[in-house]
Amino acid sequence: MAPALKPPPAPPLNIDRIKALHDDIEAYIDARVADEAKRTPGVPAVRIKHDLMVRAGGCQCRAFFQNSEKAS
């Protein structure tokens, strides 16, 4: 029987790139919330963001993908 192959080592994480992506996603979500708040006067932006995040299971990345797919 042939020996099991080892998977290649994972590349090191680029923390600066991850932080930049997180910041970009957060800015995108905040912009979407601001746009929605303009269309729904009287609904606090914090409520809109909360609803958006709940629909995404609390994950900013998932919220980004769900909303960016709707926009395209």
Side-chain angles (χ1 to χ4, degrees):
M1 187 172 244
L5 296 176
K6 276 184 157 177
L13 293 176
N14 183 334
I15 301 299
D16 293 333
R17 183 165 181 254
I18 293 169
K19 174 77 171 110
L21 285 170
H22 176 268
D23 293 345
D24 289 347
I25 289 170
E26 192 167 32
Y28 177 84
I29 290 170
D30 289 344
R32 295 283 299 169
V33 167
D35 288 344
E36 187 63 27
K38 288 177 190 172
R39 288 193 295 270
T40 55
V43 179
V46 68
R47 175 60 191 219
I48 295 168
K49 187 169 186 173
H50 173 76
D51 289 348
L52 184 132
M53 295 304 297
V54 166
R55 281 184 254 136
C59 175
Q60 287 184 330
C61 292
R62 192 174 296 134
F64 168 78
F65 286 120
Q66 287 175 349
N67 286 281
S68 64
E69 288 170 0
K70 290 177 187 175
S72 49

